[in-house]
Amino acid sequence: MFLKNYFTLFLLGIVLTACSEQQARKPISQSTGTFMKESIKRNKKLVANEEDLIKKEIKKDTAHAYIASEKGYWYTYETLGEGKTAPVRGDIAYFDYEITDLYGNVIYSKEELKPQTYYVDKENIMIGLRHGIKLMHKGDKVKFYFTSHLAYGYHGDNDKIGTNQPIICIVSLTDIKKDESQP
């Protein structure tokens, strides 16, 4: 019995001694933030290149005057509608659109995309369209040039729109209605 108690005390002493002498492990690597800085630099260069491509294409279109938005895209009104107000948060916007590449090659036709119903600022749609639709009035037809980060970004749409591809959206706003289900 004495031997059993002695052995238990001995083990307890080793465990307590071992626990008290441990030091915290240091991290194997330390992050300096260089990856993020390099990523930001690459993305800025990518956006600048896409903007240059868009500006070159806009210069070729002498029939329209383009407006540079504060959000980083360009647009021109192809048709002005009779509407007096633009959609605001909570309105329902009805629109048709088609998507082309920067050179006018159709990626998605209006027929493929079908008429759209969009609850303004309450649904997830392409960020460029989210901003652009709020500039339009009923009956307007607007041509938008979007850099890839305002369109489908790094991944594209996993179908016809590629990685980091700037696009053109030609949007016709057919109607705006108040959402009657909202107070």
Side-chain angles (χ1 to χ4, degrees):
M1 176 97 164
F2 174 74
L3 191 57
K4 190 174 181 183
N5 286 340
Y6 178 72
F7 185 69
T8 305
L9 285 173
F10 178 72
L11 282 177
L12 185 62
I14 289 175
V15 169
L16 290 175
T17 306
C19 290
S20 64
E21 292 181 18
Q22 284 187 347
Q23 295 180 349
R25 295 186 308 175
K26 295 182 180 179
I28 295 170
S29 66
Q30 296 177 354
S31 177
T32 60
T34 56
F35 174 78
M36 288 302 290
K37 289 176 187 173
E38 289 172 9
S39 179
I40 290 168
K41 190 191 281 187
R42 272 192 313 272
N43 286 334
K44 284 182 178 181
K45 186 176 180 181
L46 175 74
V47 170
N49 288 338
E50 290 178 7
E51 287 176 349
D52 288 343
L53 287 173
I54 290 172
K55 288 174 186 175
K56 285 178 186 174
E57 290 305 310
I58 287 173
K59 272 187 179 178
K60 293 178 187 177
D61 185 1
T62 57
H64 296 98
Y66 285 85
I67 302 164
S69 77
E70 293 177 4
K71 303 287 185 184
Y73 57 88
W74 291 261
Y75 63 99
T76 187
Y77 288 89
E78 292 189 344
T79 306
L80 288 173
E82 74 279 357
K84 303 286 183 221
T85 60
V88 294
R89 179 178 175 79
D91 285 351
I92 304 169
Y94 299 91
F95 66 96
D96 296 309
Y97 73 119
E98 75 176 11
I99 299 175
T100 70
D101 65 15
L102 290 185
Y103 311 105
N105 302 310
V106 175
I107 299 172
Y108 289 108
S109 70
K110 193 162 70 168
E111 291 75 29
E112 285 178 279
L113 295 173
K114 300 182 176 108
Q116 300 288 311
T117 301
Y118 169 55
Y119 289 79
V120 179
D121 288 340
K122 292 186 175 187
E123 289 184 281
N124 268 340
I125 62 170
M126 181 183 7
I127 193 163
L129 276 179
R130 192 177 317 155
H131 296 297
I133 285 174
K134 291 189 280 188
L135 298 173
M136 300 177 71
H137 300 92
K138 182 179 176 180
D140 287 352
K141 183 177 183 181
V142 179
K143 184 178 194 177
F144 294 99
Y145 280 81
F146 296 124
T147 55
S148 64
H149 77 282
L150 293 172
Y152 290 92
Y154 174 73
H155 292 289
D157 74 340
N158 296 321
D159 192 10
K160 295 181 181 180
I161 297 174
T163 300
N164 294 323
Q165 183 176 356
I167 59 172
I168 298 171
C169 287
I170 301 167
V171 182
S172 298
L173 187 62
T174 55
D175 202 2
I176 305 167
K177 292 187 177 175
K178 297 289 178 199
D179 185 1
E180 299 299 328
S181 67
Q182 297 297 317

